[in-house]
Each structure stands twice: as structure tokens, then as C-alpha cells.
Amino acid sequence: MGIREDMPILARHEGVWDGVYTYYNAAGEQIDEHKSRLFCRFPDDGTHPYHQTNHYTWPDGRTEVREFPAEYRDKRVWWDNDLIVGWAAEVGLDQYNRTVMLYWQRKGDPSLYLYEMIQISDDGQSRCRTWHWIRNGLLETRTAIQETLVSKDWRAVEADMAASAG
């Protein structure tokens, strides 16, 4: 079986998602907020069975793009790149089939790790995500992310973006 068959909840996330990331410190005070556009892909070429690209835009005009190509084994997606090392797995205890859980560490900072929980709506049109950043066993930051599906057809959206840029 392949990644889509083994991870049907994650497969429902395929597409382009627009959202807002809001960061809070341990005291619950907002410390950052920015918009996002995420491309969640299951490419056919076989190089990486899952590849996510995150585009971030801040109100002051700053932008950032991050690439997250991933391996697949043992019913998990695995990342190991210049920024993070970690995994994603479906939560089998969720009888509603809405939940994916992630764990990752930032490279070069072993005192900081993160758990992420993602819930996709039953109709697949929205999802919410929460991150808990933990340093030395203590909560440091929380991130709340609300996203809406733009298109399941990430190839067409990428082609439109390339045509607009060219």
C-alpha cells in the first residue's frame, strides 16, 4: 500500500490552503501573526511521496517560503531537512477520522521541540492547527492556525502562480 491508502486522513489535506498563523507566548499574549498559503502535495514523480511548500506574508511586507519534502515509511511521513527533523502520523483513536499529529525538533536546538495537532473539517474545506513549542520541558509558545481550502488542484494553482510571475 502507498501513502494515500495508508494515510487517508492526510490524503484529504492535498491541495492549496490559505490561512493565518497567530503566535502567543506562554502568558497567552499575541507575539506574531502572518498570512500563509500552503501547498500540500502527493507528487507523482516519486522523488518524495509528500512535499509541502509554505508561503508566509507579514503585514510589513516580509515574505518567506519554506520547503518540506518528506519520506514515507511505517505509516508516517518523516522530515529531515536543514530546518527540522520529525514525523506526522494519523491519530487512530479519533473515530471521526479528522486528526493528524506531528512532532518535530528544530535542527541545532535540541532543547526545543514541537507537537502539532491538525483537525480537518468533515467537508474538507477548512482545518485548524495548533502547535505547542516546548523548551526544556516548559511551554514557550503556542501557534494557532486557521485555514481554508483554496483548491484541491495544486498543480493548476502552481501553474497560475508561475504564469503570473513570468
Side-chain angles (χ1 to χ4, degrees), residues 9 89-101 117 119:
I9 300 170
E90 295 185 356
V91 177
L93 296 174
D94 178 5
Q95 74 267 28
Y96 302 105
N97 299 312
R98 298 175 183 137
T99 307
V100 175
M101 182 76 68
M117 187 171 59
Q119 267 71 44

Side-chain angles (χ1 to χ4, degrees), residues 79-92:
W79 289 276
D80 189 353
N81 57 47
D82 292 341
L83 185 64
I84 64 168
V85 59
W87 52 262
E90 295 185 356
V91 177

Side-chain angles (χ1 to χ4, degrees), residues 52-122:
Q52 183 171 311
T53 303
N54 298 3
H55 297 260
Y56 303 120
T57 305
W58 282 264
D60 65 6
R62 285 180 297 137
T63 62
E64 186 174 344
V65 178
R66 291 187 177 167
E67 299 287 344
F68 298 99
E71 303 299 321
Y72 172 69
R73 66 182 181 281
D74 306 321
K75 296 189 178 188
R76 291 188 192 193
V77 171
W78 296 87
W79 289 276
D80 189 353
N81 57 47
D82 292 341
L83 185 64
I84 64 168
V85 59
W87 52 262
E90 295 185 356
V91 177
L93 296 174
D94 178 5
Q95 74 267 28
Y96 302 105
N97 299 312
R98 298 175 183 137
T99 307
V100 175
M101 182 76 68
L102 286 76
Y103 167 84
W104 46 271
Q105 285 185 287
R106 285 283 173 107
K107 289 270 183 93
D109 190 352
S111 67
L112 180 67
Y113 60 92
L114 180 146
Y115 281 94
E116 175 179 357
M117 187 171 59
I118 307 171
Q119 267 71 44
I120 190 164
S121 62
D122 291 336

Side-chain angles (χ1 to χ4, degrees), residues 18-34:
D18 280 354
V20 176
Y21 284 55
T22 307
Y23 292 77
Y24 302 92
N25 64 19
E29 300 160 333
Q30 184 176 326
I31 56 174
D32 187 27
E33 186 170 272
H34 56 82

